[in-house]
Amino acid sequence: MYLAVRDIKKSYGENESYIQVLKGISTNLEAGKMCVIQGSSGSGKSTLLNCIGGLDPVDSGSICVDGKEIVGLSPQLLSDYRRACLGFVFQFYNLVPNLTVKENIQVCEYLAKQPLSMDELLETLGLTQHQNKFPSQLSGGQQQRCAIARALIKNPRLLLCDEPTGALDSETSRDILILLDEINKKYKTTMLIVTHNNSIKNMVHKVILIKDGQIHREYDNENRIPPALLEDL
Ligand SMILES: Nc1ncnc2c1ncn2[C@@H]1O[C@H](COP(=O)(O)OP(=O)(O)O)[C@@H](O)[C@H]1O
Ligand SMILES: [Mg+2]
């Protein structure tokens, strides 16, 4: 099992402001699978992703990624884990405005031991002809593709996406989802994707529904629908 989450609990604040956000979450994901996490706003989706990504410490429980326990790691080892294993994609692209597309991606390329080929990645993401542009010269979808390329250049084994299409129109969202599917096939990247986008449920291997900090339902898709065939997103 690539990812094994066992009974994780996470709270914020103290006394009157105390809130338990994750109330004992357990789940698994096999290597190379795409998983969607859904749930209403405030249900704990981002918190779960941030805990798995080592950005936020849990109160208790266990998170094993590729056989390694990440709960309780020192800040240095957590930072090594993020650098070696993870790619992050957020709703807002967080590109560096005064760097070009290629330079934005290069920033992460330098961190990697065995980066992917820049030219191949630019091509896969449809960015070849935009590589020397600045973020402000790109559409939202192009900026998100650049952010995805930046997350992927180091060939992370686990890609964590928090509402990657949240700021995009439906057609562009579909393009991004098709792209994530292609990347999953091509690079065998394991993916956890938080999204409000409903049809995406049909194209991924696994779906997790979170309600009020707990897993309400989870299931595997026996028959996946390729994203290109999805009509409405
Ligand atoms: N850093 C924080 N400090 C205090 N409360 C937080 C913090 N992060 C999230 N929360 C609270 O945790 C709950 C779940 O948030 P979040 O995981 O962002 O939900 P979702 O991503 O599902 O919308 C919300 O009630 C939110 O206000
Ligand atoms: Mg969120």
Side-chain angles (χ1 to χ4, degrees):
M1 204 52 70
Y2 187 77
L3 173 68
V5 172
R6 286 290 159 272
D7 200 22
I8 57 170
K9 296 183 178 151
K10 169 74 185 170
S11 57
Y12 292 109
E14 283 170 36
N15 304 323
E16 308 86 71
S17 64
Y18 176 87
I19 169 173
Q20 189 176 27
V21 178
L22 302 181
K23 301 173 180 170
I25 295 231
S26 300
T27 193
N28 291 320
L29 189 62
E30 286 172 39
K33 302 287 184 193
M34 292 177 90
C35 174
V36 152
I37 302 173
Q38 292 200 311
S40 54
S41 180
S43 56
K45 306 180 297 296
S46 295
T47 304
L48 176 61
L49 219 58
N50 292 343
C51 290
I52 292 171
L55 296 171
D56 218 352
V58 294
D59 300 342
S60 63
S62 155
I63 301 171
C64 276
V65 180
D66 203 10
K68 290 188 204 75
E69 177 65 57
I70 66 151
V71 172
L73 287 183
S74 66
Q76 180 59 51
L77 288 175
L78 262 186
S79 153
D80 293 346
Y81 154 69
R82 287 194 298 265
R83 183 181 290 200
C85 301
L86 299 186
F88 291 94
V89 176
F90 300 99
Q91 176 173 356
F92 301 105
Y93 324 117
N94 304 324
L95 300 173
V96 183
N98 56 348
L99 297 182
T100 64
V101 165
K102 188 171 183 179
E103 288 164 349
N104 263 284
I105 303 168
Q106 271 167 341
V107 170
C108 288
E109 187 183 17
Y110 296 134
L111 296 174
K113 285 202 189 94
Q114 290 178 306
L116 297 176
S117 147
M118 173 71 82
D119 287 342
E120 183 184 312
L121 193 60
L122 287 169
E123 195 61 40
T124 306
L125 286 149
L127 290 169
T128 306
Q129 67 276 38
H130 303 298
Q131 60 182 297
N132 296 317
K133 291 184 183 167
F134 292 95
S136 61
Q137 297 173 296
L138 302 176
S139 68
Q142 290 162 345
Q143 289 186 57
Q144 190 58 301
R145 295 210 301 265
C146 180
I148 292 171
R150 182 184 53 184
L152 285 174
I153 185 78
K154 61 179 180 174
N155 198 11
R157 295 295 75 218
L158 180 60
L159 186 70
L160 302 175
C161 305
D162 197 352
E163 314 224 10
T165 62
L168 302 172
D169 62 62
S170 62
E171 205 169 318
T172 315
S173 298
R174 182 216 293 264
D175 292 345
I176 294 290
L177 297 175
I178 291 173
L179 196 66
L180 288 174
D181 185 63
E182 272 171 29
I183 289 161
N184 169 257
K185 285 206 190 77
K186 186 163 183 177
Y187 300 112
K188 307 277 178 285
T189 319
T190 309
M191 297 186 186
L192 273 176
I193 307 167
V194 170
T195 180
H196 285 295
N197 225 314
N198 228 5
S199 314
I200 188 178
K201 284 194 303 212
N202 301 317
M203 67 172 245
V204 295
H205 304 95
K206 177 166 184 165
V207 179
I208 298 176
L209 300 171
I210 294 194
K211 196 171 171 184
D212 195 22
Q214 289 178 309
I215 293 191
H216 182 59
R217 197 172 156 223
E218 61 179 328
Y219 59 90
D220 295 319
N221 272 329
E222 301 295 330
N223 299 306
R224 298 170 64 212
I225 301 177
L229 297 182
L230 294 178
E231 289 187 358
D232 252 339
L233 286 176

